[in-house]
Amino acid sequence: MSATRKTAEAAPNGNGAAKPDPRLNDPDTLARQIVEKLTYSIGKHPEAARKYDWLRATTLAVRDRIIDHWFESADRIAASGEKQVCYLSMEFLIGRMLRDAISNLGLTEPIREALARYGVELDMVELLEPDAALGNGGLGRLAACFMESMASTGVPGFGYGIRYVHGFFRQEIADGAQVELPETWLVHGNPWEFERRDCSYEIGFGGKVVSLQEQGHPARQVWRPAERVLAVAFDTPMVGWRGEQVNTLRLWSAQALDPILLDAFNSGDHIGALVESNKAEAITRVLYPADSHQAGQELRLRQEYFFSSASLQDVIKRHLEKNESLSNLADKVAIQLNDTHPAVSVAELMRLLVDVHGFEWSAAWEITRATFSYTNHTLLPEALEHWPIHLFERLLPRQMQIIYAINADVIREASQDKGLDDAKIAAISLVDEGNGRRVRMGQLAFVGSHAVNGVSALHTELMKETVFHHLHELYPDRIENKTNGVTPRRWLMQANPDLTALITDAIGPGFLDNIEKIRDIDALADDSGFRERFAAVKRRNKERLADVVGERMATSVDPSAIFDIQVKRIHEYKRQFLNIIEAIALYDQIRTHPEQNWAPRVKIFAGKAAPSYAQAKQIIHLANDVARMINSDPSVRGLLKVVFIPNYNVSLAEIIMPAADLSEQISTAGLEASGTGNMKFALNGALTIGTLDGANVEMLEHVGEDNIFIFGLTAEQVAERRRETHSGRSIIEGQPLLREALDAISSGVFSPDEPSRYHSLVSNLYNNDWWMICADFKAYWDTQRRLDALWDRPDEWQAKAVHNTARMGWFSSDRSIREYARDIWKAGPRNGR
Ligand SMILES: *Cc1c(COP(=O)(O)O)cnc(C)c1O
């Protein structure tokens, strides 16, 4: 390897660089190289090696092959001068990487064989890898699916984020309640990342802005930060399908400029000497565990600015290595803001262009807007980010000035050019004058971008009607829809190898390269032989999940029952509570009407609550209390079980999705922006019970109304009902099933150790049925009973399951990425893909 070629992304275009020897991928070569890694990189003799050593050695052998592809990709992109996409995201919920990499490189079978020669099982080794849990839920997982799809469709993509030392907390359940434990994915080192000490930038905070007047020039503003920390890059290769393209995920780690204050140390203050470094490193120490809720603390704003500034400085440096100036930045780079977490980038790029690179304000604004685009992920008011002006000003004084100047331009345009009235201008303003003056990050991201997108068709329309109503009036062409997707490599091929094999056997391997071809199995829904094999795969996947439940929770579940599954973050709007109430009502009916033909069900829950979200934690507690009671009651006769599996994460999702018969997507309509769990389930052949919310609406269109179970109020009806009443009382009083279930919860039937535990949870419903749990209960109950009846007609159920898998190809993140590339980024994908 040429000495000049230090990093993949900075690689020269191949001239003079030695090509690596092609690596052979037969089991013999792989076995030899894995043992070589074991010996010389880990220092273990194969006989003394433990499982963990085999994981590391295998990873290193695979990594060598990835690096070859990584350099090739970088060379090719550099040579073509193609536009690059920079995906800025506070979160990347990647999960494990080894299986993904091996599978995309087509090495699964030879590596399995290579390891088997030493009596080592690949599957076992893969399970030892910790999840990279650098995200909370759907938003972070979307970023991970998008990174994989950019590489797989040939979009030159660069992910930028934060290298948290502690990712999303580990959840345990103790006496029914959630307990949060620190997550420590880096303790054994991380063989996937490369630290780039040579790629680091200074990030400032605080201080003041000085105006410099040089003769014959207009005054120039210069920020003099009071504090500086260093952002150091850690690069991880992101391998696309068939290894044809490998992109880079660059995560920033914070370090002190002076690791130790020598003056303090020498004067004997050994602790004080480390204060700076502790303070700096705190920035990237831990992921905030709140999903769909703004964190609000100063450290969070520091994190946001830290990774935004580092990423932009890096984008600029890389651009100037190949271009004379930044004036063509938007032709060469598209920057996607994943939610408002990186929205301060708009002000920061303006600062870099105007203050550092000497651009005129209006030219800088044109470049900025042409470069950025922004994805909105939620309409929940409590999730919209806004920062107190005084905090923003103290931490980022120059960026605050810039935001005021942008705001003045926007308001001038709105009032003078478009004649908007004061009320509308107040709604548009980047500064909320209402509650204590705050900077609105959504508005900043919107005005600083040339395209703003929602993540499902419904959510996009609601954006135009709600949060961005007046900005949409001002800029009517800016909002567009890009419905989310999931990568079929991880969520079908790797998570469900048996189904993948069955489909390959039935229609050939074409769907592996073009997932829309999976539609060819649609006609096989009428083929009883195929249906039986499809059902047999589902059965094996249910047995696999039953084993996991047995191992982790010492509970047995029967794989011949309906596996009815709701796994996702615990949030009131997602309505796990509605599902639990239905379980209680069902429990009651099974006992009072034993003569009826109840379909056996296992209700499975998993998900984490934000540590500070009391209601969500109560719902977890209730699910566990209800599970304990129902599961130990012999009068249920095995017809109902309730299970809460602790510590939901990507790896657990990979086991759960293929094992579901029924997928619960029951959010209050209008509140789930898209959902992606819904897509993973349906792709794996689960039927959906769901509301007309988020991407469920489009799933209905694709799978057809006979193959999905929709119930409940529409978004419009929810809004209307909220205008009319908040009380749930009259509904509860009119529905004995619901009333009795709520009475049981409220009176402590499920919490005999603390009878009042759920009193307020229930009394809230009487006073304020904000999430429409009472309003939707009957429709939900009735729909569940239709599903019971369908379970008695297994051929019909299985045919619908086949239709779901066949018709979900459109929900691939490859399709999402192609749409972003075509409509927003004007970049890639590579010809012919
Ligand atoms: C897909 C996924 C999510 C998102 O699930 P939703 O049902 O869309 O909220 C959250 N967490 C993990 C681990 C996932 O894999």
CSV table of all heavy atoms in Angstrom, one decimal, residues 535-557:
chain,number,residue,atom,x,y,z
A,535,ALA,N,-45.2,-21.5,6.1
A,535,ALA,CA,-45.7,-21.7,7.5
A,535,ALA,C,-44.7,-22.4,8.3
A,535,ALA,O,-44.5,-22.1,9.5
A,535,ALA,CB,-47.0,-22.4,7.6
A,536,ALA,N,-44.0,-23.4,7.7
A,536,ALA,CA,-43.0,-24.1,8.4
A,536,ALA,C,-41.8,-23.3,8.8
A,536,ALA,O,-41.2,-23.4,9.9
A,536,ALA,CB,-42.5,-25.3,7.6
A,537,VAL,N,-41.4,-22.3,7.9
A,537,VAL,CA,-40.4,-21.4,8.2
A,537,VAL,C,-40.8,-20.5,9.4
A,537,VAL,O,-40.0,-20.3,10.4
A,537,VAL,CB,-40.0,-20.5,7.0
A,537,VAL,CG1,-39.1,-19.3,7.4
A,537,VAL,CG2,-39.4,-21.3,5.9
A,538,LYS,N,-42.0,-20.0,9.3
A,538,LYS,CA,-42.5,-19.2,10.5
A,538,LYS,C,-42.5,-20.0,11.8
A,538,LYS,O,-42.0,-19.5,12.8
A,538,LYS,CB,-43.9,-18.7,10.1
A,538,LYS,CG,-44.6,-17.9,11.2
A,538,LYS,CD,-43.9,-16.5,11.4
A,538,LYS,CE,-44.2,-15.5,10.3
A,538,LYS,NZ,-43.4,-14.2,10.5
A,539,ARG,N,-42.8,-21.2,11.7
A,539,ARG,CA,-42.9,-22.1,12.9
A,539,ARG,C,-41.4,-22.2,13.5
A,539,ARG,O,-41.2,-22.0,14.7
A,539,ARG,CB,-43.4,-23.4,12.5
A,539,ARG,CG,-43.2,-24.5,13.5
A,539,ARG,CD,-44.3,-24.4,14.6
A,539,ARG,NE,-44.0,-25.3,15.7
A,539,ARG,CZ,-44.8,-25.7,16.6
A,539,ARG,NH1,-46.1,-25.3,16.6
A,539,ARG,NH2,-44.4,-26.4,17.7
A,540,ARG,N,-40.4,-22.4,12.6
A,540,ARG,CA,-39.1,-22.5,13.1
A,540,ARG,C,-38.6,-21.2,13.7
A,540,ARG,O,-37.9,-21.2,14.8
A,540,ARG,CB,-38.1,-22.9,12.0
A,540,ARG,CG,-38.2,-24.4,11.6
A,540,ARG,CD,-37.0,-24.9,10.9
A,540,ARG,NE,-36.8,-24.2,9.6
A,540,ARG,CZ,-37.5,-24.6,8.5
A,540,ARG,NH1,-38.4,-25.6,8.5
A,540,ARG,NH2,-37.3,-24.0,7.3
A,541,ASN,N,-39.0,-20.1,13.1
A,541,ASN,CA,-38.6,-18.8,13.7
A,541,ASN,C,-39.3,-18.5,15.0
A,541,ASN,O,-38.7,-17.9,15.9
A,541,ASN,CB,-38.9,-17.7,12.7
A,541,ASN,CG,-37.9,-17.7,11.5
A,541,ASN,OD1,-36.7,-18.1,11.7
A,541,ASN,ND2,-38.4,-17.4,10.3
A,542,LYS,N,-40.5,-19.0,15.2
A,542,LYS,CA,-41.2,-18.9,16.4
A,542,LYS,C,-40.5,-19.8,17.5
A,542,LYS,O,-40.4,-19.4,18.7
A,542,LYS,CB,-42.7,-19.2,16.3
A,542,LYS,CG,-43.5,-18.2,15.5
A,542,LYS,CD,-44.9,-18.6,15.1
A,542,LYS,CE,-45.8,-18.7,16.2
A,542,LYS,NZ,-47.2,-19.0,15.7
A,543,GLU,N,-40.1,-20.9,17.1
A,543,GLU,CA,-39.4,-21.8,18.1
A,543,GLU,C,-38.1,-21.2,18.5
A,543,GLU,O,-37.7,-21.2,19.7
A,543,GLU,CB,-39.1,-23.2,17.4
A,543,GLU,CG,-40.4,-24.0,17.4
A,543,GLU,CD,-40.3,-25.2,16.4
A,543,GLU,OE1,-39.2,-25.4,15.8
A,543,GLU,OE2,-41.3,-26.0,16.3
A,544,ARG,N,-37.4,-20.5,17.6
A,544,ARG,CA,-36.2,-19.8,17.9
A,544,ARG,C,-36.5,-18.7,19.0
A,544,ARG,O,-35.7,-18.6,19.9
A,544,ARG,CB,-35.6,-19.2,16.7
A,544,ARG,CG,-34.2,-18.5,16.8
A,544,ARG,CD,-33.6,-18.2,15.5
A,544,ARG,NE,-34.4,-17.2,14.8
A,544,ARG,CZ,-33.9,-16.3,13.8
A,544,ARG,NH1,-32.6,-16.4,13.5
A,544,ARG,NH2,-34.6,-15.5,13.2
A,545,LEU,N,-37.5,-18.0,18.7
A,545,LEU,CA,-37.9,-16.9,19.7
A,545,LEU,C,-38.3,-17.5,21.0
A,545,LEU,O,-38.0,-17.0,22.1
A,545,LEU,CB,-39.0,-16.0,19.1
A,545,LEU,CG,-39.5,-14.9,20.1
A,545,LEU,CD1,-38.3,-14.0,20.5
A,545,LEU,CD2,-40.6,-14.1,19.4
A,546,ALA,N,-39.1,-18.6,21.0
A,546,ALA,CA,-39.5,-19.3,22.2
A,546,ALA,C,-38.3,-19.7,23.0
A,546,ALA,O,-38.3,-19.6,24.2
A,546,ALA,CB,-40.4,-20.5,21.9
A,547,ASP,N,-37.3,-20.2,22.3
A,547,ASP,CA,-36.0,-20.6,23.0
A,547,ASP,C,-35.4,-19.4,23.7
A,547,ASP,O,-34.9,-19.5,24.9
A,547,ASP,CB,-35.0,-21.2,22.0
A,547,ASP,CG,-35.4,-22.6,21.6
A,547,ASP,OD1,-36.3,-23.1,22.2
A,547,ASP,OD2,-34.8,-23.0,20.5
A,548,VAL,N,-35.4,-18.2,23.0
A,548,VAL,CA,-34.8,-17.0,23.6
A,548,VAL,C,-35.6,-16.6,24.9
A,548,VAL,O,-35.0,-16.3,25.9
A,548,VAL,CB,-34.8,-15.9,22.6
A,548,VAL,CG1,-34.4,-14.6,23.3
A,548,VAL,CG2,-33.7,-16.2,21.5
A,549,VAL,N,-36.9,-16.7,24.7
A,549,VAL,CA,-37.8,-16.3,25.9
A,549,VAL,C,-37.5,-17.3,27.0
A,549,VAL,O,-37.4,-16.9,28.2
A,549,VAL,CB,-39.3,-16.3,25.5
A,549,VAL,CG1,-40.2,-16.3,26.7
A,549,VAL,CG2,-39.6,-15.2,24.5
A,550,GLY,N,-37.4,-18.6,26.7
A,550,GLY,CA,-37.1,-19.6,27.7
A,550,GLY,C,-35.8,-19.3,28.4
A,550,GLY,O,-35.7,-19.4,29.6
A,551,GLU,N,-34.8,-19.0,27.6
A,551,GLU,CA,-33.4,-18.8,28.2
A,551,GLU,C,-33.4,-17.5,29.1
A,551,GLU,O,-32.8,-17.5,30.1
A,551,GLU,CB,-32.4,-18.6,27.1
A,551,GLU,CG,-31.9,-19.9,26.5
A,551,GLU,CD,-31.3,-19.7,25.1
A,551,GLU,OE1,-30.8,-18.6,24.9
A,551,GLU,OE2,-31.3,-20.6,24.2
A,552,ARG,N,-33.9,-16.5,28.5
A,552,ARG,CA,-33.8,-15.2,29.2
A,552,ARG,C,-34.7,-15.0,30.3
A,552,ARG,O,-34.5,-14.2,31.2
A,552,ARG,CB,-33.9,-14.0,28.2
A,552,ARG,CG,-32.9,-14.0,27.2
A,552,ARG,CD,-32.8,-12.7,26.5
A,552,ARG,NE,-31.9,-12.9,25.3
A,552,ARG,CZ,-31.8,-12.0,24.3
A,552,ARG,NH1,-32.4,-10.8,24.4
A,552,ARG,NH2,-31.0,-12.2,23.3
A,553,MET,N,-35.9,-15.6,30.3
A,553,MET,CA,-36.9,-15.3,31.2
A,553,MET,C,-37.5,-16.5,32.0
A,553,MET,O,-38.4,-16.3,32.8
A,553,MET,CB,-38.1,-14.5,30.5
A,553,MET,CG,-37.5,-13.5,29.6
A,553,MET,SD,-38.9,-12.7,28.7
A,553,MET,CE,-39.8,-12.1,30.1
A,554,ALA,N,-37.0,-17.7,31.7
A,554,ALA,CA,-37.5,-18.9,32.3
A,554,ALA,C,-39.0,-18.9,32.2
A,554,ALA,O,-39.7,-19.3,33.1
A,554,ALA,CB,-37.0,-18.9,33.8
A,555,THR,N,-39.5,-18.6,31.1
A,555,THR,CA,-41.0,-18.7,30.8
A,555,THR,C,-41.1,-19.5,29.5
A,555,THR,O,-40.3,-19.3,28.6
A,555,THR,CB,-41.6,-17.3,30.5
A,555,THR,OG1,-41.3,-16.5,31.6
A,555,THR,CG2,-43.1,-17.4,30.3
A,556,SER,N,-42.1,-20.4,29.5
A,556,SER,CA,-42.2,-21.1,28.2
A,556,SER,C,-43.4,-20.6,27.5
A,556,SER,O,-44.4,-20.2,28.1
A,556,SER,CB,-42.5,-22.6,28.5
A,556,SER,OG,-43.7,-22.8,29.1
A,557,VAL,N,-43.2,-20.4,26.2
A,557,VAL,CA,-44.3,-20.0,25.3
A,557,VAL,C,-44.5,-21.0,24.2
A,557,VAL,O,-43.6,-21.7,23.8
A,557,VAL,CB,-44.1,-18.6,24.7
A,557,VAL,CG1,-44.1,-17.5,25.8
A,557,VAL,CG2,-42.8,-18.5,23.9
